[in-house]
């Protein structure tokens, strides 16, 4: 699993997430938080890149996006039922 391709996907997702965050930062810094249609389109394109990397990483882990999503929903529902949505750590 620790192939160069897998590591490239891990680094790629962090880069694309950073590009997405940077677009939001500039909207806040330069436009008083007012998002234009062009801003939305640019962010959607970046989210597409993030999603591509998520799907690629899931394939390396031999799972599907639907399995990832379902597992996350179950995790959050469990936290909500136990009143543990706030706080830190994956295993709260």
């Amino acid at each position: 699993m620790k192939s160069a391709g897998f590591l490239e996907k891990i680094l790629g997702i962090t880069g694309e997430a950073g590009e997405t965050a940077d677009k939001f930062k500039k909207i806040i810094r330069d436009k008083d938080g007012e998002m234009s249609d062009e801003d939305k389109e640019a962010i959607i394109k970046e989210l597409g890149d993030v999603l591509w990397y998520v799907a690629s990483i899931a394939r390396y882990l031999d799972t599907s996006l639907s399995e990832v999503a379902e597992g996350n929903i179950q995790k959050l529902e469990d936290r909500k039922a136990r009143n543990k949505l706030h706080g830190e750590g994956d295993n709260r």
Side-chain angles (χ1 to χ4, degrees), residues 17-18 20 25 32 44 49 56-57 65 67 70 80 82:
T20 304
K25 175 199 75 179
D32 288 330
I44 289 168
D49 293 340
S56 295
I57 294 166
L65 286 179
E67 289 176 298
E70 184 58 37
K80 184 177 179 181
R82 294 180 295 110

Side-chain angles (χ1 to χ4, degrees), residues 34-60:
E34 295 295 324
M35 189 181 309
S36 69
D37 289 341
E38 292 81 17
D39 294 327
K40 289 178 187 179
E41 288 177 28
I43 290 168
I44 289 168
K45 286 180 182 178
E46 292 300 335
L47 289 174
D49 293 340
V50 171
L51 185 58
W52 183 86
Y53 278 107
V54 170
S56 295
I57 294 166
R59 278 194 299 275
Y60 271 96

Side-chain angles (χ1 to χ4, degrees), residues 67-78:
E67 289 176 298
V68 172
E70 184 58 37
N72 195 60
I73 290 168
Q74 290 174 359
K75 174 186 75 176
L76 294 174
E77 286 175 346
D78 178 63

Side-chain angles (χ1 to χ4, degrees), residues 1 5 12-13 24 42-43 52 61 70 76-77 79 81 84-85:
M1 176 179 17
I13 196 172
F24 280 108
I43 290 168
W52 183 86
L61 298 174
E70 184 58 37
L76 294 174
E77 286 175 346
R79 286 181 184 170
K84 296 287 185 179
L85 284 174

